[in-house]
């Protein structure tokens, strides 16, 4: 009975990222010609509609659980902060070279960090997360729908970033308490997806 319940819980956990993605797809895709919900809905949906964004945020949450307590607790805020910084740079008209490649590499490298169970000093980890999410935030800022409220759009994608990163932390905590091999396998899968994004 306990084994069956444990297996069911693991399957539910592994299905959670896909459910988040499907939930995002159910929301109207944020277009560039008008603002949905004044910008809030567009901002909320954007991280969920891009598999690269979704995987990066989940990966940050997963990886943070093996780091120092301070870094683990701060990871969602660091992810949101990196996103905000990237969006502000985009809104200020600053062009980041290779944004799409940077996004792909952030997914690939985050997957490698998870698969290898890499631990880093707190400040190094914080810098890595902010750098990773900087590219994602720049893409979000660049793709804000025309006429959307900047603050509403910002609130939407910040909330989505925090929710996805916390989901990653919850998944990481669950897996660390049971089986590191599943965590490593997820890292490999995320890294492979990042490699595909880089090639595509």
């Amino acid at each position: 009975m306990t084994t069956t319940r444990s297996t069911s819980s693991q399957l539910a956990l592994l299905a959670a990222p896909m459910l988040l993605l499907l939930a995002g797809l159910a929301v109207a895709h944020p277009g560039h010609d008008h603002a949905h919900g004044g910008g809030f809905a567009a901002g909320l949906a954007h991280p969920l509609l891009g598999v690269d964004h979704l995987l990066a945020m989940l990966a940050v949450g997963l990886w943070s659980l093996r780091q120092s307590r301070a870094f683990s607790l701060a990871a969602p805020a660091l992810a949101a902060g990196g996103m905000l910084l990237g969006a502000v740079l985009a809104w200020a008209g600053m062009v980041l070279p290779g944004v799409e490649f940077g996004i792909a590499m952030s997914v690939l490298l985050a997957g490698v960090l998870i698969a290898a169970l890499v631990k880093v000093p707190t400040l190094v980890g914080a810098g890595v997360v902010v750098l990773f999410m900087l590219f994602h935030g720049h893409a979000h800022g660049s793709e804000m729908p025309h006429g959307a409220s900047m603050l509403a759009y910002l609130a939407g994608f910040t909330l989505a970033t925090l929710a996805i990163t916390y989901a990653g932390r919850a998944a990481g905590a669950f897996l660390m308490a049971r089986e590191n091999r599943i965590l490593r396998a997820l890292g490999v899968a995320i890294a492979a997806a990042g490699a595909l994004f880089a090639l595509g």
Side-chain angles (χ1 to χ4, degrees):
M1 179 65 121
T2 302
T3 303
T4 302
R5 186 175 302 167
S6 176
T7 301
S8 298
S9 297
Q10 289 178 354
L11 290 173
L13 176 67
L14 294 176
M18 185 57 68
L19 292 175
L20 279 172
L21 177 60
L22 292 175
L25 291 173
V27 181
H29 192 285
H32 296 277
D33 56 341
H34 61 285
H36 297 286
F40 179 79
L44 191 65
H46 200 277
L48 294 166
L49 291 169
V51 178
D52 48 0
H53 301 311
L54 183 65
L55 287 178
M57 294 171 201
L58 285 171
V60 166
L62 283 167
W63 179 55
S64 71
L65 261 294
R66 292 197 59 83
Q67 310 307 309
S68 69
R69 177 172 172 76
F71 176 43
S72 176
L73 292 174
L78 288 168
M83 291 276 288
L84 172 60
L85 179 59
V88 168
L89 291 178
W91 292 333
M94 184 174 294
V95 177
L96 287 182
V99 169
E100 291 303 321
F101 183 73
I103 289 172
M105 290 305 296
S106 73
V107 176
L108 190 158
L109 294 174
V112 170
L113 291 172
I114 294 168
L117 302 179
V118 173
K119 290 186 178 181
V120 298
T122 299
L123 289 179
V124 172
V128 167
V129 170
V130 171
L131 179 62
F132 281 177
M133 301 316 296
L134 178 72
F135 291 101
H136 294 267
H138 194 279
H140 286 311
S142 300
E143 296 168 8
M144 182 176 73
H146 178 70
S149 162
M150 187 179 293
L151 288 179
Y153 185 71
L154 175 64
F157 80 65
T158 299
L159 180 60
T161 299
L162 291 171
I164 296 167
T165 309
Y166 273 114
R169 289 183 76 249
F174 180 88
L175 293 175
M176 281 175 58
R178 288 158 180 81
E179 182 55 75
N180 275 340
R181 285 180 298 180
I182 300 176
L183 185 61
R184 285 177 180 269
L186 280 175
V188 170
I190 291 170
L196 288 176
F197 296 148
L199 292 173

